Amino acid sequence: ENKARSEAQRVMAQVEALAEPIARVLGAQVVAVAPGPVPEALAYAAYFEAKCAPAVPLDRYVMHLIRYARCSRATLVAALIYVDRLLVFNPGFVLNTHNVHRVLLASVVLALKMHEDGSWTNRFYARVGGVSVDELFTLELSLLLLLRCELYISKETYEQFDHCLAIATAQCATRQHKDNVLRQLREEREEELLTQLREERTRDCSALSAVPQPQQSECDTHYDEEAKEQLTANAPLPPLPQTQRHREEAALALLQKQREAAAALAQVARQREEARLREASSGCPRERAAWRALSLIVNARVPCPS
């Protein structure tokens, strides 16, 4: 029993993989324009036109039909053949975004009833397709009339369309493989850039921590509070943007913040030294002159005497 269940799941997974190829085959025939007036010779085609284009993408709609209507590969191939016959027998009929979902639904229902041993009721298929029971009856009858009731499929025709579907499946698999490779390369590139940014931040933080800090006194407390607000080097990295230009801008912004933090530290050290010089300058004139000369040397305004 478990073996039969696993085999059925494997077959169903293979059939569900046909959703994207079928959507691509039908999408190649879809014209992205609003529907125009229907000719009198194609009066039944007006029943397929929806008031607005469905919000569900075509590939997701095909997957929904396969999963809940229990379609086989032969049923899907037969539905494609019916859509092709619809376009061949009615040259004025055009597939567009307003009617392709209903045409596909009616074709799948006809293929299920024609080529499967057992089928569900129209009430069930209407719930699966997202239409009312009366609408499904109308769509089924209109498609039968537009196909001139020619539902028989020869072996050569079936093999021809099955081969086309196999080619479309191979193309989709190749494109998915390319997308996966590109996605993997993009993730590796983003991880590499993130590692570089972390290493640069670590080096800058190490360089800042290696600067000798003077002994703190009570008059330096307000300078420390101001410096803590400006130090953002240890903040967590923001999430990486999606484009290369934005990632480079983020890296430059991070380096600019680190430089501003280093400048803030240097400014705080300079202000501390000046405060000490001002405190010491309140002594005798000789001491004030000595401290004034030392202040000039600290601020690099005159060369240090040998």
Side-chain angles (χ1 to χ4, degrees):
E1 182 180 356
N2 294 334
K3 185 177 180 180
R5 186 183 296 107
S6 62
E7 182 66 19
Q9 291 177 356
R10 184 184 64 82
V11 173
M12 195 62 191
Q14 293 179 353
V15 177
E16 289 179 355
L18 300 175
E20 185 177 357
I22 292 176
R24 290 191 63 185
V25 172
L26 292 177
Q29 305 292 332
V30 172
V31 180
V33 294
V38 180
E40 295 182 359
L42 299 175
Y44 294 105
Y47 295 108
F48 293 98
E49 300 293 339
K51 294 181 179 179
C52 59
V56 182
L58 187 58
D59 55 346
R60 291 183 58 185
Y61 190 74
V62 176
M63 176 66 73
H64 181 79
L65 293 180
I66 293 174
R67 184 170 298 172
Y68 293 100
R70 296 294 179 179
C71 302
S72 63
R73 182 184 181 92
T75 301
L76 297 175
V77 174
L80 289 178
I81 294 174
Y82 292 157
V83 174
D84 181 73
R85 285 183 182 177
L86 174 65
L87 299 178
V88 172
F89 291 167
N90 306 275
F93 187 85
V94 178
L95 282 179
N96 53 55
T97 55
H98 289 68
N99 61 17
V100 64
H101 293 74
R102 296 189 172 209
V103 170
L104 177 63
L105 174 61
S107 302
V108 169
V109 171
L110 284 182
L112 285 169
K113 293 182 178 181
M114 183 69 182
H115 301 283
E116 296 292 339
D117 295 334
S119 59
W120 301 92
T121 62
N122 272 17
R123 184 180 300 276
F124 173 78
Y125 291 134
R127 292 183 62 184
V128 172
V131 297
S132 64
V133 181
D134 294 338
E135 285 178 326
L136 183 59
F137 275 114
T138 305
L139 294 177
E140 188 177 357
L141 179 60
S142 300
L143 184 60
L144 274 173
L145 295 176
L146 291 173
L147 291 177
R148 305 170 188 174
C149 296
E150 294 186 12
L151 301 182
Y152 172 74
I153 300 175
S154 62
K155 181 180 179 180
E156 294 77 10
T157 304
Y158 178 86
E159 291 178 351
Q160 179 184 358
F161 277 82
D162 185 68
H163 179 67
C164 294
L165 185 59
I167 293 176
T169 304
Q171 292 176 352
C172 291
T174 303
R175 189 180 66 175
Q176 290 178 357
H177 177 69
K178 291 181 179 179
D179 293 342
N180 293 334
V181 172
L182 291 176
R183 188 183 303 107
Q184 184 178 3
L185 292 176
R186 183 167 55 252
E187 292 176 355
E188 291 177 356
R189 175 57 182 168
E190 291 179 354
E191 185 66 24
E192 181 181 355
L193 180 60
L194 181 61
T195 304
Q196 293 178 359
L197 290 176
R198 286 175 176 171
E199 291 177 354
E200 292 176 0
R201 189 185 67 178
T202 304
R203 287 197 301 267
D204 293 339
C205 292
S206 301
L208 291 176
S209 60
V211 177
Q213 300 293 334
Q215 188 176 2
Q216 187 176 8
S217 61
E218 297 180 356
C219 64
D220 299 328
T221 305
H222 63 284
Y223 297 121
D224 291 343
E225 294 178 356
E226 182 180 357
K228 287 180 181 179
E229 295 179 357
Q230 298 180 2
L231 289 178
T232 57
N234 293 328
L237 283 174
L240 286 176
Q242 298 298 326
T243 62
Q244 180 66 21
R245 180 175 62 83
H246 290 173
R247 288 196 293 267
E248 293 176 356
E249 291 178 356
L252 292 176
L254 180 61
L255 292 177
Q256 182 65 24
K257 289 182 179 180
Q258 293 173 352
R259 291 171 182 169
E260 292 177 356
L265 281 178
Q267 180 68 20
V268 169
R270 190 179 300 110
Q271 290 176 354
R272 288 177 178 175
E273 191 63 29
E274 290 177 356
R276 289 193 182 89
L277 293 176
R278 286 195 299 269
E279 291 178 1
S281 64
S282 59
C284 63
R286 183 175 299 176
E287 292 179 354
R288 287 198 300 269
W291 281 109
R292 189 178 298 107
L294 182 58
S295 175
L296 294 176
I297 295 173
V298 170
N299 294 326
R301 298 177 181 173
V302 298
C304 180
S306 57

